Amino acid sequence: DAMVIQNPRYQVTQFGKPVTLSCSQTLNHNVMYWYQQKSSQAPKLLFHYYDKDFNNEADTPDNFQSRRPNTSFCFLDIRSPGLGDAAMYLCATSRDRTGRASYEQYFGPGTRLTVT
Amino acid sequence: DQQVKQNSPSLSVQEGRISILNCDYTNSMFDYFLWYKKYPAEGPTFLISISSIKDKNEDGRFTVFLNKSAKHLSLHIVPSQPGDSAVYFCAASAPGAGSYQLTFGKGTKLSVIP
């Protein structure tokens, strides 16, 4: 089945220790997104890639970076995690943004990040 | 400033009855609306959507109604089933350069009681 996969599902890191979350997709979608979702909050878009074009949201902290080496994979790097970065991180994909279908995003199961 | 609001954090409904989940928005530029369902330990999954040129869209037991003048949409589930128990997110999108971006509400947790 075509899907969005996130690894690991649970990640514990220490305050200030860099951490990388990964996402892969078999849908061959050209747009990939990273969201942060804190408890009882709405998912918040951090950035997205349209093919190799990186688009950062204005209020995404510099501490968050992303890489997309190819169509299938996308990584979220948190350079110096703080306690406030503990959250669920969701990866999503969609088809070409020129059509309405692009609004329908397909999500992975998420990675729950704990910062100690 | 929340542009998409789901004011009910939770809702309980008896099996077989109608579930109505509500969503309000403030951005008049939004022209496409979606509902996502999320089970524990899974990512949100797309459920149903509606364009602003329509006021109703139906898919099986799920119907979404849009009232543009009130900036309000609702999701109706009839009849409700225990498997519908999940968190439901309302999301909206505006056209233009940011048209790929979805703005989500905080979600409503639906519990369908057998």
Side-chain angles (χ1 to χ4, degrees):
Chain A
D1 281 345
M3 54 176 36
V4 181
I5 302 161
Q6 289 188 246
N7 285 307
R9 295 292 306 274
Y10 301 90
Q11 176 73 57
V12 180
T13 190
Q14 292 178 333
F15 182 94
K17 185 174 181 182
V19 66
T20 295
L21 310 181
S22 72
C23 176
S24 63
Q25 55 129 340
T26 59
L27 297 159
N28 205 32
H29 285 170
N30 47 357
V31 191
M32 293 187 78
Y33 310 79
W34 280 103
Y35 288 86
Q36 178 193 63
Q37 186 183 18
K38 297 188 177 180
S39 181
S40 302
Q41 298 295 312
K44 179 180 178 298
L45 183 66
L46 295 173
F47 25 60
H48 80 279
Y49 274 94
Y50 180 72
D51 290 328
K52 284 194 173 294
D53 292 335
F54 177 72
N55 297 269
N56 200 33
E57 293 303 301
D59 56 355
T60 298
D62 293 339
N63 198 25
F64 291 85
Q65 303 287 321
S66 186
R67 295 170 284 135
R68 189 179 185 186
N70 54 52
T71 301
S72 301
F73 285 87
C74 196
F75 300 98
L76 169 62
D77 301 308
I78 308 176
R79 294 193 294 189
S80 181
L83 297 178
D85 297 327
M88 176 71 82
Y89 289 88
L90 295 164
C91 174
T93 72
S94 70
R95 285 175 280 173
D96 191 294
R97 66 181 176 186
T98 56
R100 283 294 181 183
S102 65
Y103 299 150
E104 296 167 14
Q105 297 181 12
Y106 297 77
F107 285 82
T111 295
R112 181 164 296 282
L113 178 68
T114 300
V115 182
T116 61
Chain B
D1 178 33
Q2 261 195 288
Q3 298 187 61
V4 177
K5 298 177 185 178
Q6 293 178 256
N7 291 319
S8 297
S10 63
L11 175 68
S12 289
V13 172
Q14 206 73 30
E15 180 179 4
R17 306 292 289 268
I18 183 171
S19 295
I20 300 176
L21 295 99
N22 293 304
C23 178
D24 297 292
Y25 61 96
T26 57
N27 187 345
S28 58
M29 296 299 293
F30 287 147
D31 72 339
Y32 198 75
F33 303 89
L34 306 90
W35 284 94
Y36 280 81
K37 179 167 76 171
K38 184 182 183 304
Y39 292 120
E42 294 183 15
T45 55
F46 170 73
L47 188 59
I48 192 170
S49 62
I50 188 167
S51 166
S52 60
I53 62 173
K54 296 185 175 181
D55 55 17
K56 176 183 175 180
N57 189 27
E58 196 170 350
D59 183 2
R61 297 186 296 113
F62 302 90
T63 303
V64 56
F65 295 92
L66 176 62
N67 182 333
K68 286 192 296 291
S69 60
K71 293 192 178 69
H72 176 84
L73 63 155
S74 61
L75 173 68
H76 293 212
I77 307 173
V78 184
S80 302
Q81 299 174 354
D84 297 328
S85 298
V87 177
Y88 289 79
F89 290 97
C90 173
S93 179
S99 62
Y100 46 83
Q101 180 178 355
L102 294 180
T103 302
F104 284 87
K106 291 184 177 182
T108 297
K109 183 177 182 180
L110 173 66
S111 299
V112 180
I113 305 161

